[in-house]
Amino acid sequence: MEKIAATALVSQSSSEQERKSVGIIRLLTSNRLSMIGLLLIIVWIALALLAPLLSPYSPIEPDVANKLTPPSVSHWFGTDNFGRDIFTRIAYGAKYTIWSGVAAVAISFCVGTILGAIAGYYGGVLGSIIMRVMDMFLAFPALVLAMAIAASIGPGLTSAMIAVSVVGIPEYVRLMYGQTMLLREKEFVEAGRAIGLKNSVILFRHILPNALAPLIVRATLGIGFAILISSSLNFLGLGVKPPIAEWGAMIAEGRQYIVSGEWWIVSFPGLAIATSILGFNLIGDGLRDVLDPRLRSSSGNKKND
Amino acid sequence: MRPLLEVKDLKTEFLTGKGPVRVVDGVDLVLNKGETLGVVGESGCGKSVTSMSIMGLLPKGQSRIAGGDIRFHDQSLLSLSVKEMRQVRGNRIAMIFQEPMTSLNPVFKIGNQISEALRFHKNLSKKEAWSEAVGMLKKVGIPRPEQIAREYPHQLSGGMRQRVMISIAMACNPEVLIADEPTTALDVTIQAQILELMRGLQHEQGTAIMLITHDLGVVAETCQRVVVMYAGQVVEEAEVGMLFKQPLHPYTQGLLGSLPQLAGQKKRLEPIVGSVPSPLNMPSGCRFAPRCKFRTDACLEYQPPLLEVEQGHKCRCILYGEGEQ
């Protein structure tokens, strides 16, 4: 009898938790705009993964007979000056764009969070040095700094990615710095010290999880920005080398044909960049609304003593 | 018997732009095994700073211990390294904070927070620590401990959270428990339960409790000995019965006079006029003199020492000093 009651209690409490996480997902799905964003991203990821299956053409091999054909049934988005199918190139290019956006943000997120946490928690000379270096980074326009870094490493996809992630770091450092400053004065941090925990344990086990929500929102919004910067670098020739299909590079190649009327070479990669950025931004906005407790009524059910 | 914890002539300073400010000035405390010592005083009299000094939790770079010693088992805590001090903190000397609502980490389950101290100090495995944590919850009178251990702090009421805080503090079976206003944030009915719980655990585990409070009712209820602090100094120390029956220091008399009484004749409450002097601008004589009803000219110049007026009853006042001098 008791056993049955106990298992009933267990299942009840775990279902309570499920309800809580389901609540967040439901809130997110009820936001129509963020669902559109999610759909856009899913489409782009699917295109990136399924590109070889979706298109009979090669993204690299020239087909001189069909060069500069306008959009048609056989070439949905037309062909470029080498006769390569634009749709195929965009689908293959999605891989580079999404990958470089996500990876760059992942790097800046990790590095920035750790630096910000250290600066905020320990403060002092070390904290000041970190924050002043970040201020220096922020003093330059993001694109100019990214160009300088990419150029100094040497053109290539990796160097473009490193440049984009370095440019993104200060944002996360400042955000985490502020969060840590706020959280380290909390009583539960002092209580952690009072039970004899090490500083590193307090910082990474107690402060970090409490600071994550705004950082995650920032990161989602940051992916869009990272895509924009990395496309710009590729457009400027500081990223991938031809003939690799990358959206920014495709626009650069098609640039000279705008005046002669071959609009499709630049328009479709441009649209691709715009929609993928829009997708990540919409998701980020939705996440921010869901994770911001001020926009939600508290659903915690208090128990009486 | 040698005392378990001894604070000798402790002087703690905060470092400010205008130079060091002494907020605790020559405090002596003795805590014996299994006893409950009450530390009473107004806000800002240095009682919390004293407890933080004992725990070694004063913010570095903003404060320092300028003099005196804190001895635990006749070993100076001030001479311990950071690592050694971590072994003492939470394990042999534990602490309960005033604010149960914010002293628990909102993103961790209750059970994990209790387990944390156990895993760190007792090297228990995750599973062992968890079952120990559930046992602790049961000990502090939380119903359905298995379920509560899996919940988050926001799902509990204030009284429940303070019970959780106590179970974290008592998990490693400490020899000394410093309770910094453990009941201030709670309802009166819950207060009584929490005090009863602390008394029960003390009886069971033989823990010595240093109870910091400004509530004289709580002191009368739970403590054996009381230390009254004023402006960073101990002004009176006595057995609890003696202090309530015959308070010597005018400040203590004032504290008792400002307490509402249910029994006896109704009379107006007598507040102590004025407020605690700022540590930046301490009176040169007796620190209580500007607010004292019995002030003489000598009080303004002469700072009386803490003298044993009668057996076990110390007082820092010129009115009682003359016999010994």
Side-chain angles (χ1 to χ4, degrees):
Chain A
M1 181 69 192
E2 232 172 36
K3 223 178 196 172
I4 298 168
T7 45
L9 281 179
V10 169
S11 62
Q12 186 195 332
S13 74
S14 61
S15 72
E16 228 165 72
Q17 255 187 41
E18 268 163 36
R19 224 179 298 147
K20 199 178 149 201
S21 49
V22 165
I24 288 178
I25 294 169
R26 200 181 47 225
L27 273 169
L28 193 60
T29 48
S30 69
N31 184 335
R32 199 173 298 159
L33 277 178
S34 60
M35 278 304 97
I36 293 174
L38 191 63
L39 198 71
L40 282 171
I41 300 310
I42 289 173
V43 166
W44 280 122
I45 291 174
L47 278 176
L49 293 175
L50 303 175
L53 301 175
L54 288 172
S55 160
Y57 306 106
S58 156
I60 296 167
E61 290 302 315
D63 176 11
V64 192
N66 287 318
K67 71 176 192 178
L68 297 174
T69 52
S72 64
V73 181
S74 55
H75 296 287
W76 291 355
F77 291 175
T79 60
D80 67 3
N81 51 331
F82 291 108
R84 296 173 296 199
D85 182 52
I86 304 267
F87 176 75
T88 312
R89 282 176 68 78
I90 286 177
Y92 277 92
K95 175 173 66 185
Y96 299 110
T97 305
I98 292 175
W99 169 243
S100 65
V102 172
V105 166
I107 295 170
S108 14
F109 181 87
C110 295
V111 176
T113 305
I114 291 169
L115 285 178
I118 290 170
Y121 189 74
Y122 295 101
V125 179
L126 182 66
S128 298
I129 291 174
I130 292 175
M131 293 317 291
R132 294 300 79 75
V133 170
M134 290 306 131
D135 285 348
M136 264 163 54
F137 276 68
L138 283 171
F140 296 97
L143 186 58
V144 174
L145 185 61
M147 277 165 58
I149 295 169
S152 65
I153 305 174
L157 194 62
T158 320
S159 71
M161 210 153 77
I162 292 171
V164 173
S165 45
V166 170
V167 167
I169 288 173
E171 290 258 6
Y172 300 95
V173 175
R174 290 177 69 93
L175 201 55
M176 188 62 196
Y177 177 74
Q179 289 279 317
T180 311
M181 294 276 273
L182 211 72
L183 288 165
R184 73 166 185 189
E185 304 297 332
K186 294 272 181 197
E187 280 89 348
F188 66 79
V189 169
E190 193 156 47
R193 257 184 229 131
I195 60 171
L197 296 181
K198 283 186 228 171
N199 276 329
S200 56
V201 174
I202 290 175
L203 184 52
F204 290 106
R205 262 185 62 84
H206 287 261
I207 292 183
L208 192 62
N210 278 295
L212 275 184
L215 285 160
I216 289 172
V217 172
R218 179 64 227 160
T220 326
L221 292 168
I223 293 175
F225 182 69
I227 288 175
L228 187 64
I229 297 276
S230 77
S231 300
S232 306
L233 289 178
N234 283 304
F235 175 82
L236 293 166
L238 290 166
V240 296
K241 293 190 188 74
I244 291 177
E246 200 282 337
W247 299 346
M250 286 167 73
I251 296 177
E253 285 167 27
R255 196 173 36 151
Q256 52 188 312
Y257 295 96
I258 299 175
V259 278
S260 52
E262 282 91 9
W263 53 271
W264 56 89
I265 305 183
V266 290
S267 302
F268 291 111
L271 268 176
I273 294 172
T275 50
S276 58
I277 293 173
L278 183 68
F280 280 111
N281 283 0
L282 288 176
I283 295 180
D285 280 341
L287 263 182
R288 184 186 50 204
D289 293 349
V290 169
L291 292 177
D292 190 340
R294 274 165 303 180
L295 299 174
R296 263 194 305 160
S297 63
S298 135
S299 57
N301 48 335
K302 294 225 167 176
K303 293 197 171 61
N304 292 319
D305 197 353
Chain B
M1 191 175 69
R2 247 197 359 235
L4 184 59
L5 182 74
E6 202 177 4
V7 176
K8 279 186 190 159
D9 196 29
L10 178 72
K11 295 186 174 85
T12 303
E13 291 176 344
F14 281 132
L15 308 172
T16 67
K18 292 176 201 152
V21 172
R22 191 161 289 185
V23 285
V24 172
D25 195 4
V27 164
D28 292 289
L29 292 175
V30 170
L31 188 61
N32 295 311
K33 195 169 183 301
E35 86 170 337
T36 306
L37 172 73
V39 179
V40 196
E42 277 170 277
S43 323
C45 70
K47 45 193 204 308
S48 289
V49 176
T50 305
S51 68
M52 295 308 240
S53 306
I54 296 172
M55 293 295 283
L57 286 176
L58 291 167
K60 270 188 205 121
Q62 292 165 39
S63 55
R64 65 152 187 249
I65 291 177
D69 200 1
I70 298 164
R71 302 187 82 78
F72 179 59
H73 281 291
D74 224 23
Q75 146 112 67
S76 171
L77 289 182
L78 300 181
S79 66
L80 293 183
S81 71
V82 175
K83 209 173 157 193
E84 288 168 321
M85 194 60 209
R86 271 208 303 267
Q87 291 300 327
V88 173
R89 232 183 270 149
N91 192 19
R92 306 180 69 186
I93 305 180
M95 190 161 180
I96 307 175
F97 291 90
Q98 181 174 355
E99 277 295 333
M101 305 309 272
T102 50
S103 296
L104 289 166
N105 191 333
V107 300
F108 285 121
K109 292 177 186 165
I110 301 293
N112 285 334
Q113 302 199 37
I114 305 173
S115 307
E116 199 162 35
L118 286 163
R119 291 181 64 189
F120 182 74
H121 290 298
K122 305 284 184 213
N123 280 324
L124 297 183
S125 74
K126 212 168 180 175
K127 230 176 182 171
E128 289 167 333
W130 183 274
S131 66
E132 190 92 335
V134 171
M136 275 317 293
L137 285 177
K138 201 169 179 177
K139 228 181 213 170
V140 296
I142 283 185
R144 298 170 286 121
E146 291 88 359
Q147 190 194 341
I148 298 291
R150 248 180 257 109
E151 293 193 345
Y152 290 88
H154 73 271
Q155 294 171 291
L156 306 182
S157 68
M160 295 263 270
R161 282 190 226 185
Q162 192 59 294
R163 282 172 196 261
V164 171
M165 289 309 295
I166 292 174
S167 72
I168 292 175
M170 298 300 279
C172 292
N173 214 341
E175 293 160 74
V176 175
L177 177 67
I178 299 175
D180 192 350
E181 313 221 15
T183 56
T184 308
L186 303 174
D187 287 350
V188 186
T189 47
I190 310 295
Q191 276 185 18
Q193 289 177 12
I194 295 290
L195 292 174
E196 187 54 45
L197 168 67
M198 283 171 58
R199 196 154 41 191
L201 288 172
Q202 176 179 39
H203 192 67
E204 208 173 290
Q205 306 189 354
T207 315
I209 298 181
M210 184 173 144
L211 184 71
I212 296 168
T213 181
H214 57 246
D215 189 334
L216 288 166
V218 168
V219 168
E221 184 103 345
T222 47
C223 301
Q224 281 102 50
R225 258 178 337 111
V226 194
V227 165
V228 181
M229 282 183 73
Y230 184 79
Q233 291 180 328
V234 173
V235 293
E236 186 162 2
E237 183 183 341
E239 301 287 317
V240 78
M242 210 185 275
L243 186 95
F244 279 91
K245 209 173 356 167
Q246 198 189 19
L248 293 180
H249 198 280
Y251 176 63
T252 317
Q253 290 170 5
L255 277 184
L256 291 169
S258 56
L259 212 62
Q261 302 279 339
L262 279 178
Q265 269 187 322
K266 274 189 192 156
K267 46 183 184 181
R268 288 187 70 85
L269 292 180
E270 277 186 54
I272 307 175
V273 289
S275 58
V276 186
S278 151
L280 280 171
N281 189 18
M282 275 295 173
S284 56
C286 171
R287 293 184 172 183
F288 187 58
R291 303 171 71 185
C292 184
K293 282 191 291 192
F294 309 105
R295 177 182 52 218
T296 62
D297 288 342
C299 291
L300 295 170
E301 284 150 26
Y302 172 69
Q303 199 180 98
L306 188 66
L307 292 175
E308 188 149 16
V309 178
E310 51 185 314
Q311 179 69 27
H313 197 159
K314 292 180 195 161
C315 182
R316 187 193 290 274
C317 182
I318 202 166
L319 292 174
Y320 308 97
E322 278 131 30
E324 270 82 359
Q325 272 175 359

